[in-house]
Amino acid sequence: MSELPDLPATVLVSAYRERRLSPVEVTRAALARIDAWDDQICATWAMDPEGALAAARQSETRWQSGTPAGPLDGVPVTVKENIATKGVTMPAGTAAVNAMVATEDAPAAARLRESGAVILGKTTMPDFGMLSSGLSSFHRLARNPWNLAMNPGGSSAGASAATAAGYAPINIGTDIGGSVRLPAALCGAVSLKPSFGRIPVSPPFLGRAAGPITRTVADAALAMQVLSLPDSRDYMSLPPADLDWSAEPLPLRGLKLGLCLDTGIGSDPDPEVVDAITNAARLFADAGATVEPLAPFLNRDMIEGLDRFWRARFGSDTAGLSDEQRAKILPYIRDWIEGGDELSGRDVYRGFAQIPAMSQATQKATAPFDYVLLPVWPTVSFPADYASPLNNPAKPFEHIGYCVGFNMSEQPALSVNCGYSTSSMPIGLQIAGRRFDDTGVLRMGAAFEAMRGPQRSWPRFDR
């Protein structure tokens, strides 16, 4: 099996420029790996090998003439199923809906194509994107390449599994409560949930973000050069900004960092998670940063209110389904949605009001620090066929306590691998920054990559 799919996007672009590699040979190698491995990992859907090779040939011609279309010209990428790509159906991860065919590319996909990226196909997700799991009533059960019996996380399940397997150096996911950071952490990858509005999305919604999932911080930064370009369809997006996406390691001496092992909500962290995050914080302190504890800043009313609001929202979204269609929704999700059927309008509004409360609390607590260090998950891993670590729809959000506050506060947050459990599963460190400081968060991640030492080899499935 070719090693070409394991090369970072930054290396590929340099090799194309110097004519040491061709986008066509790299794309063929990526497609061959997916064809050989994905029966086990089940990360992809709606693959487009013919379209990918056509795009690669066009890229090859541009590189030969010295006129690349953009920073990602010829780089293989995948796109999460709920990000529209023209001509491809969007089942939203569920067997319950009559999937519509996308009539245009969503902003992220449009920017990728304009930059010359080679879109290999789509990646899988759970029903309506409402699980931190690879379990779906429509797609095959996505599995974690580090251990096929274990969960890749979600909802960008396929994107993160594809990253760990080396299907493409850049894989695009979405995040409204942790859905790029959570699976990236379980799969040993890097992911950025950018500041709200930094990457245009369509349709926009409170807390919703798109973000890259990669193997290196430098590749995430390279992707951000393209994904952060403006799109008028997102009326909530940030103004265009000329940012330095170079991701050079940030000098750490003199920085004030918060270390938070308990946000006030969610399950208690496993001892292995605490040890990994504490050890990561020690590296920052040894490099000259001041690390101080950050006390819990969220409360149960916030997460329970958000639960009520999201149940009501998805209950409304699925109200038009027939009984036959509703029966096809993943039972865990169906039970969760139906748990909101008896909520009053007042209950729902009070739940919605917890979004600004969570935002204010998160921003206030983190404001004294340049950056904050936290876990991504409270747990190390969980079985592949579980809908969530507790697998209990009555307690659906106990695992997102470290992530969701930064969606509501609109702050950037990065997941980067910081170690492995005794069962050899990756553990993620989350680095959060102030609003709009996306480049600083990436540079903090690059600094950590430089300090943490060599990583374990990525999983392989050669026969």
Side-chain angles (χ1 to χ4, degrees):
M1 182 64 64
S2 171
E3 302 294 333
L4 289 179
D6 293 309
L7 294 177
T10 51
V11 173
L12 291 178
V13 171
S14 294
Y16 296 158
R17 183 177 296 110
E18 297 166 5
R19 301 191 182 182
R20 292 183 286 107
L21 286 176
S22 156
V24 174
E25 65 179 316
V26 171
T27 298
R28 284 177 176 155
L31 292 170
R33 175 171 292 187
I34 294 169
D35 186 61
W37 293 4
D38 205 48
D39 282 346
Q40 299 173 76
I41 300 170
C42 304
T44 67
W45 182 73
M47 290 296 296
D48 183 18
E50 292 184 4
L53 286 169
R57 285 189 286 269
Q58 293 169 0
S59 174
E60 183 177 73
T61 298
R62 289 191 294 270
W63 280 110
Q64 288 173 344
S65 65
T67 57
L72 297 181
D73 205 338
V75 174
V77 301
T78 70
V79 179
K80 188 176 176 181
E81 183 248 283
N82 66 339
I83 299 174
T85 50
K86 186 176 180 179
V88 180
T89 55
M90 299 177 66
T94 181
V97 302
N98 297 318
M100 302 295 292
V101 177
T103 58
E104 62 181 5
D105 286 338
R111 300 296 86 75
L112 292 170
R113 288 196 208 275
E114 291 165 2
S115 186
V118 176
I119 298 178
L120 303 174
K122 309 300 282 287
T123 53
T124 59
M125 59 182 277
D127 289 51
F128 307 111
M130 280 307 299
L131 289 179
S132 301
S133 167
L135 187 63
S136 164
S137 64
F138 180 85
H139 295 298
R140 299 172 296 166
L141 177 63
R143 297 179 179 273
N144 193 318
W146 291 92
N147 183 337
L148 295 177
M150 307 309 286
N151 211 292
S155 64
S156 302
S160 294
T163 304
Y167 289 0
I170 294 173
N171 304 273
I172 312 303
T174 60
D175 189 315
I176 199 170
S179 288
V180 295
R181 291 158 290 162
L182 291 163
L186 289 191
C187 292
V190 171
S191 67
L192 176 68
K193 192 289 294 179
S195 297
F196 180 73
R198 180 69 70 200
I199 296 177
V201 298
S202 181
F205 189 81
L206 293 173
R208 179 181 290 159
I213 305 173
T214 63
R215 288 183 169 185
T216 68
V217 171
D219 273 6
L222 181 64
M224 287 300 296
Q225 290 187 37
V226 172
L227 297 172
S228 61
L229 293 173
D231 192 298
S232 61
R233 288 173 288 178
D234 186 347
Y235 53 85
M236 300 173 75
S237 62
L238 295 174
D242 185 14
L243 301 178
D244 178 8
W245 296 107
S246 61
E248 290 295 320
L250 191 67
L252 301 176
R253 187 164 300 279
L255 290 181
K256 183 178 179 181
L257 309 181
L259 173 61
C260 182
L261 299 174
D262 179 8
T263 64
I265 59 175
S267 300
D268 293 335
D270 291 349
E272 287 186 290
V273 172
V274 172
D275 288 346
I277 303 306
T278 303
N279 289 336
R282 189 173 298 116
L283 290 178
F284 283 103
D286 290 345
T290 299
V291 180
E292 298 179 0
L294 171 58
F297 52 90
L298 303 177
N299 61 57
R300 295 297 309 180
D301 287 344
M302 294 173 181
I303 196 65
E304 290 172 3
L306 190 64
D307 181 17
R308 291 194 299 273
F309 171 66
W310 276 351
R311 285 179 194 245
R313 175 191 161 201
F314 278 89
S316 175
D317 288 347
T318 58
L321 298 179
S322 67
D323 290 343
E324 182 180 1
Q325 288 176 306
R326 289 180 70 86
K328 294 178 181 179
I329 299 175
L330 194 73
Y332 180 105
I333 293 292
R334 187 175 63 247
D335 291 347
W336 174 73
I337 292 172
E338 291 175 352
D341 286 348
E342 303 304 317
L343 293 172
S344 68
R346 186 170 296 176
D347 291 332
V348 175
Y349 178 77
R350 286 174 175 166
F352 177 80
Q354 293 304 317
I355 293 177
M358 190 180 296
S359 173
Q360 184 178 26
T362 303
Q363 290 195 38
K364 181 179 179 180
T366 59
F369 302 100
D370 295 300
Y371 300 95
V372 174
L373 310 176
L374 315 89
V376 179
W377 289 86
T379 187
V380 168
S381 191
F382 58 103
D385 59 355
Y386 274 27
S388 68
L390 297 182
N391 210 31
N392 181 356
K395 297 181 177 180
F397 298 142
E398 296 302 302
H399 58 282
I400 67 172
Y402 292 113
C403 289
V404 67
F406 298 108
N407 290 84
M408 302 307 128
S409 70
E410 307 184 3
Q411 294 172 247
L414 180 84
S415 175
V416 58
N417 181 251
C418 67
Y420 304 86
S421 69
T422 54
S423 58
S424 298
M425 297 304 292
I427 298 173
L429 166 70
Q430 186 173 194
I431 303 171
R434 298 184 178 115
R435 289 179 70 200
F436 316 130
D437 189 18
D438 304 76
T439 57
V441 166
L442 285 165
R443 295 183 67 196
M444 277 284 290
F448 181 71
E449 281 183 330
M451 294 188 297
R452 73 181 175 190
Q455 294 292 91
R456 297 184 183 181
S457 298
W458 292 95
R460 296 195 65 84
F461 296 87
D462 295 341
R463 293 289 182 264

